[in-house]
């Protein structure tokens, strides 16, 4: 995803950017791991009967993918000090073998004197934000990755 360097980060730097694919199989696996077997995440009939366009991804799966971008960049899950987001719109997952592309990018919004860096995450499907107010505060390791 990125290479490791020791140069200074600056506000506006995009430190990580990756596209994750979510398929219906991923939804079933996530349901088993999370215990969230709500049928809107696997049954098209139920999803559409409650007004959804189709089966949707678990919100926490989407948020987890954004968090994964951070932990992959940092190399240490414990380096994420704070993380939060709001769910803006559902991620509709088609019934095919390809799934839906979720693009996640993280940009620096503040570099603090205490060694922490504030990041804004952009999480989109088809150029529409699916998470808003997605922000993280992270402790940088000595060999942190470079902006991509």
């Amino acid at each position: 995803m990125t290479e490791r360097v020791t140069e200074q980060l600056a506000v506006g730097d995009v430190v990580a950017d990756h596209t994750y694919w979510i398929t219906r199989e991923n939804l079933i696996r996530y349901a088993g791991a999370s215990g969230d077997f709500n049928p809107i995440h696997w049954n098209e009939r139920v999803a559409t009967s409650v007004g959804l366009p189709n089966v949707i991804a678990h919100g926490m799966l989407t948020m987890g993918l954004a968090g994964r971008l951070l932990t992959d960049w940092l190399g240490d899950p414990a380096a994420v000090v704070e993380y939060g987001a709001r769910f803006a719109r559902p991620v509709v997952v088609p019934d095919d073998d390809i799934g839906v592309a979720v693009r996640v990018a993280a940009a620096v919004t503040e570099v603090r004197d205490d060694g922490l860096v504030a990041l804004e995450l952009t999480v989109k499907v088809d150029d529409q934000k699916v998470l808003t107010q997605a922000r993280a505060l992270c402790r940088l390791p000595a060999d942190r990755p470079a902006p991509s």
Side-chain angles (χ1 to χ4, degrees), residues 54-118:
N54 208 323
V55 166
I56 63 169
H58 302 74
M60 293 305 292
L61 172 58
T62 306
M63 193 173 169
L65 290 175
R68 177 179 171 189
L69 182 83
L70 297 174
T71 60
D72 285 352
W73 171 62
L74 292 163
D76 179 8
V80 179
V81 177
E82 293 178 14
Y83 173 50
R86 299 193 80 157
F87 303 110
R89 62 178 30 96
V91 174
V92 178
V93 181
D95 187 12
D96 61 19
D97 294 331
I98 299 168
V100 61
V102 179
R103 184 165 182 194
V104 184
V108 176
T109 59
E110 181 185 13
V111 179
R112 297 180 13 175
D113 292 335
D114 61 2
L116 298 177
V117 62

Side-chain angles (χ1 to χ4, degrees), residues 20-84:
Y20 298 96
W21 289 87
I22 301 176
T23 64
R24 297 264 178 111
E25 178 184 357
N26 297 133
L27 300 183
I28 298 300
R29 291 177 184 274
Y30 185 82
S34 68
D36 181 354
F37 292 99
N38 187 324
I40 64 171
H41 302 303
W42 55 270
N43 186 308
E44 186 174 337
R45 182 181 44 79
V46 172
T48 58
S49 75
V50 297
L52 294 168
N54 208 323
V55 166
I56 63 169
H58 302 74
M60 293 305 292
L61 172 58
T62 306
M63 193 173 169
L65 290 175
R68 177 179 171 189
L69 182 83
L70 297 174
T71 60
D72 285 352
W73 171 62
L74 292 163
D76 179 8
V80 179
V81 177
E82 293 178 14
Y83 173 50

